[in-house]
């Protein structure tokens, strides 16, 4: 039965900073109005600030105006909360920002569906987790390489040369191992 209705006429209450601008103008609430509000909340999370700052009296008072200005100037990354700035990698951040920004579209038809928002947020999470898994793997590989280097640190260059495969770096003329092996 819910799917039969595309809009609801209502006297909604809430904080104006989260309200769909078209609701403020026409007094029609739709499921796309909720998507707009979700976009505001997503940017609150990303920026680490509220949708409205009462102590600001300029154009940066509302988060949506600030986000739109920074987006147009190509500086959206400057708004990322410093507590997560160094932890999130570009691909998931761009995915998150893109879907959140689309939620703030003025035209309701341009806003994503709730399903699309959920899929894109999941995708951003997957990108971030994949990166973190790869970093952990690189760290363990690095530790293994360092362990191996310690084992071979007492090995002569000539022995390293003979232990390495034919096509390895150790057997190129640029390597000290090659030169040491050729001298003896």
């Amino acid at each position: 039965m819910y799917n039969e209705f595309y809009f609801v006429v209502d006297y909604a209450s809430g904080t104006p900073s989260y309200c769909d601008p078209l609701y403020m103008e026409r007094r029609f609430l739709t499921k796309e109005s909720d998507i707009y509000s979700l976009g505001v909340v997503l940017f609150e999370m990303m920026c680490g600030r509220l949708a409205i700052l009462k102590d600001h009296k300029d154009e940066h008072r509302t988060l949506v105006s600030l986000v739109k200005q920074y987006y147009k100037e190509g500086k959206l990354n400057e708004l990322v909360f410093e507590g997560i700035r160094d932890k999130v990698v570009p691909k998931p951040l761009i995915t998150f920002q893109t879907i959140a920004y689309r939620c703030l579209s003025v035209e309701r038809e341009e806003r994503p569906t709730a399903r699309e928002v959920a899929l894109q947020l999941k995708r951003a999470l997957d990108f971030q987790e994949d990166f973190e898994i790869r970093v952990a793997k690189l760290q363990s590989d690095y530790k293994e390489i360092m362990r191996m280097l310690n084992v071979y640190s007492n090995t002569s260059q000539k022995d390293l040369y003979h232990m390495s495969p034919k096509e390895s770096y150790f057997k190129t003329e640029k390597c000290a191992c090659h030169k040491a092996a050729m001298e003896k």
Side-chain angles (χ1 to χ4, degrees):
M1 185 167 186
Y2 171 76
N3 291 334
E4 294 177 23
F5 298 101
Y6 293 99
F7 66 90
V8 175
V9 179
D10 193 6
Y11 294 102
S13 62
T15 309
S17 302
Y18 298 90
C19 284
D20 177 358
L22 292 178
Y23 168 73
M24 301 300 281
E25 180 183 314
R26 301 178 189 158
R27 296 292 187 217
F28 283 121
L29 278 177
T30 66
K31 58 188 175 187
E32 291 83 10
S33 299
D34 291 336
I35 296 297
Y36 182 90
S37 300
L38 177 60
V40 175
V41 172
L42 291 173
F43 275 112
E44 280 183 317
M45 291 168 39
M46 186 193 87
C47 299
R49 69 162 269 189
L50 296 174
I52 191 162
L53 298 176
K54 294 179 182 180
D55 59 335
H56 281 68
K57 301 295 180 206
D58 61 5
E59 70 278 359
H60 298 135
R61 183 173 187 211
T62 66
L63 181 58
V64 171
S65 65
L66 185 65
V67 163
K68 288 187 176 195
Q69 176 190 339
Y70 274 62
Y71 182 83
K72 286 177 188 169
E73 295 172 2
K75 303 187 311 184
L76 200 51
N77 286 346
E78 291 179 23
L79 294 178
V80 176
F81 177 61
E82 64 189 47
I84 63 169
R85 186 176 294 145
D86 295 334
K87 294 177 178 78
V88 68
V89 290
K91 192 171 184 175
L93 180 60
I94 290 167
T95 303
F96 184 95
Q97 291 172 334
T98 302
I99 197 66
Y101 194 79
R102 285 186 54 215
C103 291
L104 301 180
S105 295
V106 174
E107 296 301 319
R108 289 177 176 157
E109 299 79 27
E110 294 175 10
R111 295 179 196 157
T113 63
R115 176 177 165 68
E116 187 177 354
V117 173
L119 288 172
Q120 290 301 315
L121 292 176
K122 172 76 169 101
R123 187 171 176 224
L125 178 62
D126 289 346
F127 289 147
Q128 184 69 27
E129 287 176 341
D130 183 54
F131 172 79
E132 290 171 5
I133 289 167
R134 282 188 280 140
V135 165
K137 174 78 172 115
L138 284 173
Q139 288 172 344
S140 70
D141 288 351
Y142 175 77
K143 287 177 184 174
E144 178 63 18
I145 289 169
M146 294 308 292
R147 186 190 65 73
M148 290 171 62
L149 287 175
N150 285 335
V151 167
Y152 293 120
S153 64
N154 296 327
T155 307
S156 73
Q157 289 182 342
K158 182 179 177 183
D159 291 338
L160 280 176
Y161 177 83
H162 291 294
M163 290 168 44
S164 63
K166 250 195 236 183
E167 60 281 339
S168 76
Y169 174 74
F170 292 120
K171 294 200 174 176
T172 65
E173 291 180 15
K174 296 177 185 175
C175 180
C177 293
H178 177 78
K179 291 175 184 169
M182 294 299 114
E183 290 173 2
K184 295 181 180 179

